[in-house]
Amino acid sequence: MTLGVLLGLAVPAAAAAHAFLVDSVPASGARLAASPPSIVLRFTEHVVPVAGDRVTLRSASGAAVPLGPLVRSPDGASLSAALPRLPGGVYLVDWQVVSAEDGHSSQGEFAFEVGSAGALPAIRGSVSGPTDWPQAALSWLLLLGLAALIGSLAGEAWVWRPLARGRDWNPPAPPLAAAWAMALVGAGGLFMVFAGSLGGGILTGFEPSRWVAAMRSGAGYLAFAAFFLVLYGLLAATLLKSKRVALPALLAAAVAAALRSHPAAGKAWWGGPAIALHVALALVWTGLLAHLAWLLWSGRRRPAAEILVPAVGRYGRLALWSTLLVLVSGLGAALAVFSSRDQLIGTAYGHVLLLKAGLVAAALLLALLGRAALGRMCARGATGMGEMPRLRATTGLEAGTLAAVLGVAALLGNVAPPVPAVSAATLLGAPPPQGPALTLADQAGWLKVYLTASAGNLTLQVLTPESSRPQGVRLINQDSHGDAIFVTPPGQGKSVGLAPRPCGPGCFTASFAWQAGVSRLRLDVQAKG
C-alpha cells in the first residue's frame, strides 16, 4: 500500500517542457481577404498566468496595434485577444510565454497579411529562452544525491549482505548525510525556483501563495513529489530503520525527476516510460559504482579477498544489465524528442546529447578495463590482489565519469529541445483571389488537385482522398530552371514554365498574367504514401 501511494505521487500526468507555438489564428503567413476578429495562439503545452506573458501586434511600419485583454483557454494551452479592425497590410505578432511544466520561457514571432499587396518580413518563429543554469545545477544536485543514496542502499542489500552472511564482517556504511542534503536541496530548490518563476522572481518562490499555483502544474507537482519522497525515505531510513521502504521511495523520486524532462513532453507514448526507466537505471548504475569505489578506497574494514572478488563480480553483472537497459531506454527517449538527424546535429540539445553519449561510452570503456582487472584477480588467486590498485583506479574513474554524465543529463533537461516542425512553419499563404476566379479539379493518381486562376495568380491545392492535406507534397519533372508548372497560352505552341513557391502543406502559388482564351496546364504531383 505504501509503495502504491509513493508511485501515485511520483507518476502524475506526463509533464512537458518548453511551450512552442503549434498553431495560430490567423495562421503563420496567412493572407486574409478581411480583418480577423481576434488572434488565437495554441501551444504544445499549458502556459501559466504570469506577468511574463506577452502578445503584441504591430504593423510592418512598426506601429503598435492595441489588443483586447489576453484570455486563457480552459485547458491552459491557448491564448486569445480581440483585434480592432485592421486595414490592409502585413502585421507581425510577437509573443512570449512561460511553460506551466518547467517554468522555462519561450518566445517567437509570426506574420500574416490582410489583403495581398505586402511582402512577408523576416521572422524568427519559435525560440526558447536561455538555458536555465540554476535549475540545471539543482537538478544535478538532486541526481547526485539520489545516485549516492540508491547505490548505497542497493549495494548493501543486493551485494554485500548476502556475501557477508555467516562471516565476521559487516559492510561499513558510507556517510550519507551529504547525499541526503543534496537530494533535499535539489528537489526543494527546483520547486522554489519554479514557484518563483510564476511571480516574476526567485524570492517570490518563498511566498506560500505561489506554492499552491506551482502545485497545479506538472513541473511544480513533480518537484514537490521528489522532495516529499526523498524526505519520506530519510525518515524511513533514520527513524524507522527501514531501508526496504527508503529504497522504493528514492526510486520513485528518481521517476518524478525523470518526468520533468523533455522526452516525457512529446506525443510519443513511450517517451515518459523510456526516460523514467533510463534515469532510474542510470542512478542505480552510478550509485552502485560509487558505493564500490568508496569501499575500495576506504581504509576502514576493507573486505577480504574471499568477499571482495565475488562482490565485484556481482557489481559487474548488475552493471551489465543496467547498462544495456540504460542504452535501450535512452535510445527510446531520444526518439521521442528528435524527428530528424539534422535536429541531432544542428541543435544545442543535440550537441549536449552527443556529449552525454560520449561520456557514457568512456564509462563503458572504463568498465571493461575494470572487468579485465577483476578477471586477472580471479585467475591468479591469492597473488591476484596486486591488481587492486588498477581496479580501484578504473572503478573510481568510471564512477566519476558517470557523475559527469548526470551533470550533462541535468543540463539536457534545461536546454531547449528541437522546435517542433509545425511551430517553425513561416510560409506565406496563398493570396486570396482578386476579381473573377476559375477553379478546376482533377486527379493525380489518388490525389485531388485543385487549380484556382485569378487576376495575375495561379494557386494549386493538393488533398488526399480523405480531403486532408498530405505531407511531403512536391511537384516533379522540374526543369533546370526550377519550373514545375507548364502553361501553354492560347494560340501558342510553346509552354511557359512557372516556379511556384510553397504556401503551406499541399499548397503552391505562382504569379502569371493570363491571356484571353483557353490556356493548357501540365504538372505532375507526388506526395508521401
Side-chain angles (χ1 to χ4, degrees):
M1 179 177 178
T2 301
L3 182 57
V5 172
L6 296 179
L7 292 178
L9 280 171
V11 189
H18 292 84
F20 290 117
L21 185 69
V22 294
D23 192 17
S24 65
V25 180
S28 173
R31 293 183 188 265
L32 308 175
S35 174
S38 63
I39 185 171
V40 181
L41 309 179
R42 300 187 181 95
F43 299 94
T44 53
E45 60 191 57
H46 299 173
V47 292
V48 290
V50 299
D53 283 357
R54 184 191 74 229
V55 178
T56 61
L57 180 68
R58 65 181 187 272
S59 65
S61 63
V65 178
L67 299 177
L70 205 58
V71 179
R72 197 173 312 275
S73 64
D75 65 0
S78 299
L79 298 175
S80 62
L83 293 177
R85 183 172 182 81
L86 302 176
V90 173
Y91 293 88
L92 192 65
V93 179
D94 181 34
W95 58 266
Q96 178 179 348
V97 296
V98 174
S99 165
E101 308 304 334
D102 61 4
H104 294 152
S105 66
S106 302
Q107 59 268 352
E109 298 174 337
F110 68 90
F112 66 91
E113 182 184 5
V114 178
S116 58
L120 183 71
I123 54 180
R124 54 191 171 92
S126 294
V127 296
S128 175
T131 300
D132 195 326
W133 292 103
Q135 287 206 53
L138 290 169
S139 297
W140 193 18
L141 272 182
L142 173 59
L143 294 179
L144 285 175
L146 287 175
L149 296 170
I150 291 172
S152 177
L153 296 176
E156 181 181 340
W158 301 341
V159 177
W160 295 104
R161 288 207 177 279
L163 294 174
R165 191 173 294 121
R167 294 183 172 93
D168 186 21
W169 183 83
N170 288 318
L176 296 178
W180 287 111
M182 285 193 298
L184 289 171
V185 170
L190 286 173
F191 178 79
M192 300 299 287
V193 168
F194 178 75
S197 70
L198 304 183
I202 295 179
L203 294 179
T204 61
F206 292 92
E207 300 175 4
S209 60
R210 301 293 178 189
W211 301 347
V212 177
M215 287 289 291
R216 293 174 179 169
S217 60
Y221 181 86
L222 289 168
F224 177 81
F227 177 81
F228 172 81
L229 289 166
V230 173
L231 182 60
Y232 182 89
L234 174 62
L235 296 176
T238 56
L239 299 182
L240 303 179
K241 305 297 182 182
S242 177
K243 297 180 180 179
R244 292 184 177 181
V245 174
L247 183 57
L250 294 173
L251 289 172
V255 171
L259 291 179
R260 298 184 81 248
S261 60
H262 299 309
K267 295 183 179 180
W269 62 266
W270 67 85
I275 193 62
L277 181 64
H278 180 72
V279 171
L281 290 177
L283 293 179
V284 170
W285 179 18
T286 305
L288 286 174
L289 262 297
H291 188 220
L292 175 62
W294 181 82
L295 284 171
L296 292 177
W297 284 91
S298 174
R300 298 174 301 164
R301 303 197 64 191
R302 186 176 297 153
E306 62 270 15
I307 297 178
L308 178 62
V309 172
V312 175
R314 285 194 175 211
Y315 271 105
R317 287 189 293 273
L318 287 172
L320 173 63
W321 288 108
S322 298
T323 302
L324 292 176
L325 291 174
V326 163
L327 295 177
V328 172
S329 58
L331 177 61
L335 291 176
V337 175
F338 294 101
S339 58
S340 70
R341 183 179 59 184
D342 292 340
Q343 290 180 336
L344 179 63
I345 300 173
T347 64
Y349 188 89
H351 297 162
V352 176
L353 184 62
L354 290 174
L355 174 61
K356 177 185 172 185
L359 289 172
V360 170
L364 291 176
L365 177 60
L366 291 168
L368 290 176
L369 295 176
R371 186 72 176 176
L374 176 63
R376 289 191 292 270
M377 286 179 63
C378 296
R380 296 175 183 176
T383 62
M385 293 303 289
E387 294 290 331
M388 177 62 71
R390 184 170 300 179
L391 179 62
R392 284 206 306 253
T394 56
T395 302
L397 286 174
E398 182 184 356
T401 304
L402 290 176
V405 169
L406 295 183
V408 176
L411 178 61
L412 199 62
N414 293 277
V415 173
V419 179
V422 66
S423 68
T426 57
L427 299 174
L428 184 61
Q434 300 294 316
L438 174 66
T439 297
L440 301 175
D442 206 335
Q443 292 284 133
W446 289 99
L447 298 172
K448 301 176 183 178
V449 178
Y450 295 88
L451 291 168
T452 300
S454 61
N457 188 75
L458 172 67
T459 298
L460 166 66
Q461 290 281 352
V462 181
L463 300 178
T464 67
E466 296 81 18
S467 296
S468 62
R469 295 189 176 187
Q471 299 297 318
V473 175
R474 67 188 186 98
L475 298 171
I476 58 178
N477 294 334
Q478 292 182 332
D479 63 17
S480 59
H481 300 288
D483 298 330
I485 299 178
F486 300 92
V487 183
T488 303
Q492 298 186 21
K494 186 178 180 180
S495 296
V496 177
L498 304 180
R501 64 166 183 80
C503 50
C507 177
F508 300 87
T509 185
S511 298
F512 186 70
W514 301 103
Q515 300 179 23
V518 177
S519 297
R520 299 185 179 275
L521 283 76
R522 177 173 57 84
L523 56 105
D524 296 284
V525 182
Q526 193 176 70
K528 290 183 179 180

